Amino acid sequence: MTVLPGQAAEDPDATAPADPLVLAAAWLPGVDAGPGPTMTLSTVGLDGYPSARTVLLSRFDGERLHFHTDSRSRKAAELAALPRAAVTIVWPEAARQLVVVGDVARVTADEARAAYAARTRYLQVLAWVNDHEAAADTASRRRELWAAFERDRPELEPPDTWAGFALTPRRMLFWRGATDAASNRLVYERCPDGSWSRDSWPG
């Protein structure tokens, strides 16, 4: 990983805010208004083993990280059984990584609808046609079904299976790399009273 110009000259430990959500907002500019980067969502599988996949960060509202999926999906079932998760966002070009661990809850219907409206047309269609039946079909048949859906449905509302979730952080790890020093992780833990403790870990 490389370091952005000027990054080595700053002292991030000295300037880090007491509230990690403030730092997260600085690392996620513009995500309060719509979709952000992709992230790895890790849950506990129904078999007890870790389960991970890449999803789109729908929104960071200053308190929670939002993501959306099909209510029939494996991750939705895992979150229903144990509503805890971790997400990992990586910016290789900036030598940064953010890992957030916390509790997950369903978002409101209005929040889910707003997230769907902010999706690209491709992702809106995908939410309708990306099911087990289509996945088992041939590639040519999937293209035919997609073209037919596009032709017949110029306007789209979220399908009934559209499900939104939001992760409320309990632990936040901000990893920062360097080319002239050891990398490190700035770690925040939420205290029982709602405040945050802060520590530095090896990278």
Side-chain angles (χ1 to χ4, degrees):
M1 290 185 175
T2 59
V3 180
L4 291 178
Q7 184 175 341
E10 68 180 9
D11 184 358
D13 292 325
T15 59
D19 186 343
L21 297 170
V22 173
L23 184 55
W27 282 29
L28 295 165
V31 183
D32 58 329
T38 56
M39 59 186 185
T40 300
L41 170 68
S42 302
T43 54
V44 179
L46 299 180
D47 58 2
Y49 285 90
S51 182
R53 76 290 288 162
T54 300
V55 299
L56 184 67
L57 173 60
S58 298
R59 180 187 174 211
F60 173 59
D61 63 12
E63 295 286 339
R64 305 174 301 163
L65 291 91
H66 296 236
F67 58 94
H68 292 75
T69 188
D70 192 301
S71 61
R72 300 164 296 182
S73 67
R74 177 167 49 89
K75 51 187 169 294
E78 291 167 352
L79 290 169
L82 184 61
R84 297 174 181 171
V87 297
T88 303
I89 306 172
V90 181
W91 296 269
E93 71 286 351
R96 287 180 174 178
Q97 181 181 126
L98 172 61
V99 181
V100 184
V101 179
D103 302 304
V104 178
R106 291 288 291 264
V107 303
T108 67
D110 287 343
E111 287 174 321
R113 181 175 292 274
Y116 185 82
R119 288 289 201 268
T120 63
R121 171 71 181 185
Y122 172 84
L123 292 176
Q124 289 179 343
V125 174
L126 188 67
W128 279 93
V129 305
N130 192 29
D131 55 22
H132 285 285
E133 183 177 355
D137 220 329
T138 64
S140 60
R141 180 58 180 160
R142 287 197 300 272
R143 294 189 187 96
E144 291 173 4
L145 292 172
W146 189 283
F149 188 93
E150 283 273 45
R151 182 180 62 251
D152 298 339
R153 303 289 294 273
E155 301 294 332
L156 289 178
E157 293 291 327
D160 293 338
T161 53
W162 178 254
F165 298 87
L167 184 150
T168 299
R170 294 179 60 87
R171 181 186 306 119
M172 304 184 75
L173 300 91
F174 297 83
W175 179 91
R176 295 157 304 185
T179 57
D180 58 353
S183 59
N184 78 311
R185 288 179 289 172
L186 188 60
V187 183
Y188 293 82
E189 298 269 3
R190 194 186 293 269
C191 303
D193 64 359
S195 64
W196 293 90
S197 65
R198 192 179 74 183
D199 195 9
S200 292
W201 292 358

